Amino acid sequence: MLDLHDYLGQGTALVGLLDTFWEEKGYVNAREFKRFNGETVPLARLYKRTFTADEKFEVDTEIAHFGEKPLINANAYWKLADANGKTYANGQFPAKNIEIGKNIPLGKITADLSKLNAPNEYKLIVGIKNTTFENDWNFWVYPPKADGNEPKDVFITHDWNEAETKLNAGAKVLYMPRKADLDWTSPPLDTLPVFWTRLMNPAWGRMLGLWIDKNSPALKDFPTASFFDWQWTELVKNARVINLDKLPVNLQPIVQPIDDWNRNYKLGMIFEAKVGRGKLLVSSADLENDLETRIVARQLRQSILNYMASGKFNPQVSLTPENFRAVLFDTRVMKKLGAKANAAGNDAANAVDGDPNTFWIAGTQKDASRQNQELTIEFPSQVSFSGLVMMPRQNHRDHEGDVRDYLLQTSDDGANWEDLKRGAFVSTFDPQKIDFGRNISAKYIKLVSLSGFGADKTTAIADLAVVYTGAKLPDNAEDLEYKRVKSASTDIDEGINADDKKPKPTPKKPR
């Protein structure tokens, strides 16, 4: 952190504990802050924050002391308490002199978690008697196993066509979309919030945290605060969320990821709605895989299913199936169609892999002038489509490689080309759709980048996908796992070759 307060330069960085006027922002005050940032601070080495009730709770404790003088005959104590302050276990360590220094051992805490109610949130509190030196850490305890009584009247699916059929019949549906079935305006989540600001460090994922309706009956059996705390880390890891901007404005999600203010998508991780005669609950968090070890996901699934089986499950906002289809797009379509990309530059295959964190780039800023770049896509056979979706490069502050004027061509043999459409993109991180207004059939597609923006001499595309209108494709492509990519800008790209983006060694000067 640069400072204790928010910084208004370089695109605005709201990273401070205090606001720009050095005032409290509401989530911590001076007394609370001093518990973990003072002259004397008790410390605990928790290797995790989520436990099952049959696990051992063993924690080593220490203290950092930088007061004026040693603490003589200090009595350290510990306790486990719930959110209401009720103590479930406690103890104290032998009295000892605490010299000035850091990482001074106090002792090991051992507690029996089976005596604690589960699921529930607790605090480990460690302090020194007859002083104000005290610190605390929250943790969660869950049942050792799921109760196994999942409701039979709730249909669970990853397929929207299945969900729609059941909803039309009046069923209750828990829909967990596959990541690759969400359009590219539905971003991935991060286990850490945005550092500084995405204006300076752009990326496809931009999570600033979660807003959680902790009083929702869907979370009755899932203890949580109204914000993203440690237990949610398991749920947001490798997850994508749904962009709700195309859905009714009065749809308020139960769990709403907070997008970076430079983009400000309205996002939903868990939300509910009436669809036709049926009732729908959507979770983009994975509530199905590895539940033996993912105990938080297991408990959230149990809480949601308990709610859906109850009489309280009564969504107030209505959607049409057409509403919901607007947030879906098969980003694996090019893989399913067997598309192969060919172009000059770096990894043309990145332009058809469905992952916006990878990109194709051609040309360099060192070129004498900008060259028109061609991206050619070949299919094994004729493909029917009514348009294209182009996802721009996501990680460059200066929008390096953004395409302005373009030409689209099609071919049946890869040798004879016919102009299909000319147009212009805008410089943005958002996906851009080219609608032909009719179905096209072709075996080859070529996108020619005719111009860029400003003095930029490169062309870059994260993904190019057809709006497919042919026969239903077999669901034989695995769900996507998105690669990580660092933010880039002109000032930090110097000395890096745009063809492969690998640092080049600086030649040594002859002596």
Side-chain angles (χ1 to χ4, degrees), residues 301-484:
R301 176 189 175 100
Q302 188 70 59
S303 182
I304 286 174
L305 289 176
N306 289 347
Y307 165 61
M308 295 182 73
S310 74
K312 293 183 178 180
F313 182 38
N314 186 30
Q316 298 301 301
V317 178
S318 295
L319 298 177
T320 66
E322 292 75 21
N323 283 153
F324 197 82
R325 285 192 216 109
V327 306
L328 302 176
F329 181 77
D330 186 356
T331 59
R332 300 165 299 175
V333 64
M334 300 301 269
K335 181 175 182 179
K336 290 179 179 180
L337 291 169
K340 294 183 179 180
N342 183 47
N346 172 49
D347 270 340
N350 288 341
V352 292
D353 66 356
D355 183 356
N357 284 336
T358 65
F359 56 92
W360 159 67
I361 186 167
T364 75
Q365 305 300 356
K366 297 179 181 180
D367 291 341
S369 61
R370 186 187 188 280
Q371 303 297 313
N372 291 346
Q373 301 291 344
E374 298 181 351
L375 175 67
T376 301
I377 298 171
E378 177 186 358
F379 300 101
S381 58
Q382 294 273 335
V383 168
S384 176
F385 57 102
S386 64
L388 293 171
V389 178
M390 191 277 290
M391 186 65 165
R393 180 181 175 183
Q394 295 293 296
N395 74 322
H396 202 281
R397 180 199 307 169
D398 308 311
H399 292 267
E400 181 184 70
D402 278 6
V403 179
R404 188 173 183 177
D405 297 301
Y406 67 83
L407 167 65
L408 284 176
Q409 297 178 311
T410 58
S411 173
D412 293 329
D413 57 10
N416 300 296
W417 294 90
E418 180 180 343
D419 289 357
L420 175 61
K421 188 177 181 69
R422 288 179 181 266
F425 295 123
V426 297
S427 185
T428 179
F429 291 115
D430 292 335
Q432 301 181 63
K433 186 176 180 179
I434 305 171
D435 191 352
F436 303 146
R438 58 192 176 93
N439 285 349
I440 301 296
S441 183
K443 186 177 179 181
Y444 295 86
I445 305 170
K446 182 188 290 183
L447 185 147
V448 185
S449 169
L450 301 175
S451 69
F453 291 84
D456 188 2
K457 299 172 184 175
T458 65
T459 293
I461 291 177
D463 270 288
L464 193 68
V466 297
V467 180
Y468 179 68
T469 56
K472 184 178 179 180
L473 296 170
D475 194 13
N476 57 1
E478 296 180 358
D479 208 359
L480 287 170
E481 294 300 329
Y482 302 99
K483 297 179 181 178
R484 295 181 62 86

Side-chain angles (χ1 to χ4, degrees), residues 95-352:
K96 65 184 297 184
N97 295 336
I98 297 175
E99 301 296 330
I100 295 173
K102 63 180 180 179
N103 304 116
I104 300 167
L106 291 177
K108 180 186 285 289
I109 297 171
T110 303
D112 183 1
L113 296 181
S114 66
K115 298 180 180 180
L116 277 62
N117 296 326
N120 207 356
E121 178 183 349
Y122 296 92
K123 280 187 178 181
L124 165 63
I125 302 169
V126 178
I128 304 295
K129 284 186 177 181
N130 302 318
T131 72
T132 60
F133 307 137
E134 192 176 74
N135 203 359
D136 61 84
W137 304 264
N138 55 349
F139 66 97
W140 292 261
V141 179
Y142 300 101
K145 296 181 180 179
D147 65 15
N149 297 319
E150 294 195 350
K152 295 181 180 180
D153 64 339
V154 176
F155 181 72
I156 303 172
T157 183
H158 302 286
D159 186 302
W160 176 248
N161 291 325
E162 288 184 349
E164 198 173 312
T165 300
K166 292 291 184 178
L167 290 165
N168 287 336
K172 294 187 269 189
V173 175
L174 172 58
Y175 173 57
M176 293 183 284
R178 288 174 290 241
K179 288 180 284 188
D181 289 342
L182 300 173
D183 79 5
W184 284 313
T185 68
S186 296
L189 294 181
D190 302 304
T191 53
L192 293 174
V194 170
F195 173 74
W196 205 245
T197 167
R198 281 301 184 208
L199 186 66
M200 304 299 292
N201 301 280
W204 183 33
R206 301 186 177 193
M207 190 183 87
L208 295 177
L210 301 175
W211 178 88
I212 302 159
D213 182 4
K214 65 178 182 178
N215 296 318
S216 168
L219 303 180
K220 177 179 178 293
D221 300 314
F222 186 78
T224 181
S226 60
F227 53 86
F228 175 36
D229 213 335
W230 287 102
Q231 86 276 34
W232 285 93
T233 303
E234 178 185 296
L235 295 162
V236 305
K237 185 178 181 181
N238 297 324
R240 286 182 67 189
V241 286
I242 300 173
N243 187 332
L244 305 181
D245 285 338
K246 297 176 183 177
L247 300 183
V249 295
N250 58 337
L251 177 62
Q252 176 57 49
I254 298 168
V255 179
Q256 179 172 353
I258 303 167
D259 200 33
D260 166 51
W261 65 90
N262 293 291
R263 185 171 64 186
N264 204 30
Y265 290 157
K266 181 181 178 182
L267 303 174
M269 187 177 189
I270 300 173
F271 59 93
E272 62 184 2
K274 289 181 181 177
V275 182
R277 296 167 50 209
K279 300 175 184 178
L280 171 70
L281 193 143
V282 179
S283 171
S284 67
D286 177 6
L287 304 182
E288 183 175 66
N289 294 303
D290 303 319
L291 297 185
E292 288 297 317
T293 57
R294 298 176 63 246
I295 58 176
V296 183
R298 183 176 71 199
Q299 188 61 40
L300 180 57
R301 176 189 175 100
Q302 188 70 59
S303 182
I304 286 174
L305 289 176
N306 289 347
Y307 165 61
M308 295 182 73
S310 74
K312 293 183 178 180
F313 182 38
N314 186 30
Q316 298 301 301
V317 178
S318 295
L319 298 177
T320 66
E322 292 75 21
N323 283 153
F324 197 82
R325 285 192 216 109
V327 306
L328 302 176
F329 181 77
D330 186 356
T331 59
R332 300 165 299 175
V333 64
M334 300 301 269
K335 181 175 182 179
K336 290 179 179 180
L337 291 169
K340 294 183 179 180
N342 183 47
N346 172 49
D347 270 340
N350 288 341
V352 292

